[in-house]
Amino acid sequence: GENVEQHPSTLSVQEGDSAVIKCTYSDSASNYFPWYKQELGKGPQLIIDIRSNVGEKKDQRIAVTLNKTAKHFSLHITETQPEDSAVYFCAAIGGSQGNLIFGKGTKLSVKP
Amino acid sequence: EAQVTQNPRYLITVTGKKLTVTCSQNMNHEYMSWYRQDPGLGLRQIYYSMNVEVTDKGDVPEGYKVSRKEKRNFPLILESPSPNQTSLYFCASRGVRTGAGYEQFFGPGTRLTVL
């Protein structure tokens, strides 16, 4: 079945810097790759997603890139702000039922 | 407001005392799922349901039961809780019809402690 690896597990950046989180997946049939943000005490919330027929997608300060050949995708956050501090999860669709398989998460800390 | 609700939000119980965590969604979603979140392990799927009366095991189903008698509700049942089920639990839902997209909506979480 699908397996998703996520790195790094923790990331600390200075406000205004960029942050990059990387994920790899194992199932070449996977075709949907979302990123979720989990703030303290809350459930994960979708922030951006990409489908396998697209190489890059951008939404204001966040962007996601996908390399199907290498089976990896990345989240890029530019001009980070303290409110970007959270745990970020990548995921990929796996299996015939379309279950999301999650990475183990990255705790991002943005220091003012 | 479109949302997934869970109750209770916090629960402390003792080993062996049956409990149910309720989950309800108001988006008419066919797909519902339960996850547990543990430090360093991310989100692991317990059970999921593709529609009413259709449930299936996820990656970590041992010690849990679910039911899907109505489209909006998907309760998680722990018949005999044990300390290793101490965790943060999330319910989620999404549509599955063509054009619904894959966006999955999560509830606020239930923090369970089994003593």
Side-chain angles (χ1 to χ4, degrees):
Chain A
E2 176 65 278
N3 183 50
V4 177
E5 302 275 346
Q6 183 172 347
H7 299 280
S9 56
T10 60
L11 179 59
S12 182
V13 300
Q14 209 66 35
E15 183 177 359
D17 288 349
S18 294
V20 180
I21 303 170
K22 298 182 179 182
C23 289
T24 60
Y25 62 98
S26 60
D27 188 352
S28 56
S30 292
N31 60 3
Y32 174 71
F33 308 92
W35 286 89
Y36 282 80
K37 176 183 181 182
Q38 184 182 22
E39 296 176 339
L40 199 60
K42 297 183 178 180
Q45 187 170 12
L46 180 72
I47 55 171
I48 195 167
D49 56 14
I50 192 167
R51 295 181 185 269
S52 58
N53 58 349
V54 176
E56 184 174 357
K57 185 176 178 181
K58 193 172 182 180
D59 183 3
Q60 298 182 340
R61 295 186 298 107
I62 60 173
V64 58
T65 58
L66 171 65
N67 183 325
K68 284 183 62 180
T69 303
K71 287 191 280 188
H72 66 70
F73 56 112
S74 300
L75 177 71
H76 304 253
I77 305 174
T78 58
E79 300 172 22
T80 52
Q81 301 168 3
E83 52 264 39
D84 294 329
S85 296
V87 177
Y88 291 81
F89 291 98
C90 64
I93 286 283
S96 59
Q97 303 290 2
N99 291 316
L100 281 177
I101 308 300
F102 287 88
K104 289 183 167 49
T106 296
K107 184 177 181 180
L108 173 64
S109 300
V110 180
K111 298 181 179 179
Chain B
E1 179 190 357
Q3 61 182 351
V4 178
T5 56
Q6 296 178 226
N7 283 292
R9 294 290 313 279
Y10 304 90
L11 179 59
I12 300 174
T13 189
V14 295
T15 299
K17 186 176 181 181
K18 181 180 178 179
L19 67 92
T20 299
V21 183
T22 64
C23 172
S24 183
Q25 50 94 5
N26 63 1
M27 295 168 278
N28 201 34
H29 285 164
E30 293 81 10
Y31 179 97
M32 298 186 74
S33 180
W34 277 101
Y35 299 87
R36 60 178 289 174
Q37 183 178 11
D38 301 290
L41 298 179
L43 291 159
R44 295 181 294 167
Q45 190 176 48
I46 303 171
Y47 268 95
Y48 66 96
S49 169
M50 295 296 290
N51 214 324
V52 176
E53 301 293 359
V54 180
T55 63
D56 212 341
K57 296 178 181 179
D59 297 319
V60 289
E62 293 78 20
Y64 304 95
K65 285 176 57 177
V66 292
S67 69
R68 189 85 184 275
K69 293 183 171 58
E70 305 166 285
K71 197 173 187 179
R72 64 183 293 125
N73 297 322
F74 190 45
L76 179 69
I77 304 155
L78 284 72
E79 295 266 357
S80 183
S82 62
N84 64 11
Q85 292 178 299
T86 292
S87 187
L88 179 58
Y89 291 87
F90 288 101
C91 181
S93 73
R94 67 174 171 85
V96 298
R97 288 164 291 172
T98 301
Y102 286 117
E103 181 175 0
Q104 195 157 281
F105 295 83
F106 284 82
T110 295
R111 185 165 291 283
L112 172 65
T113 301
V114 183
L115 302 175

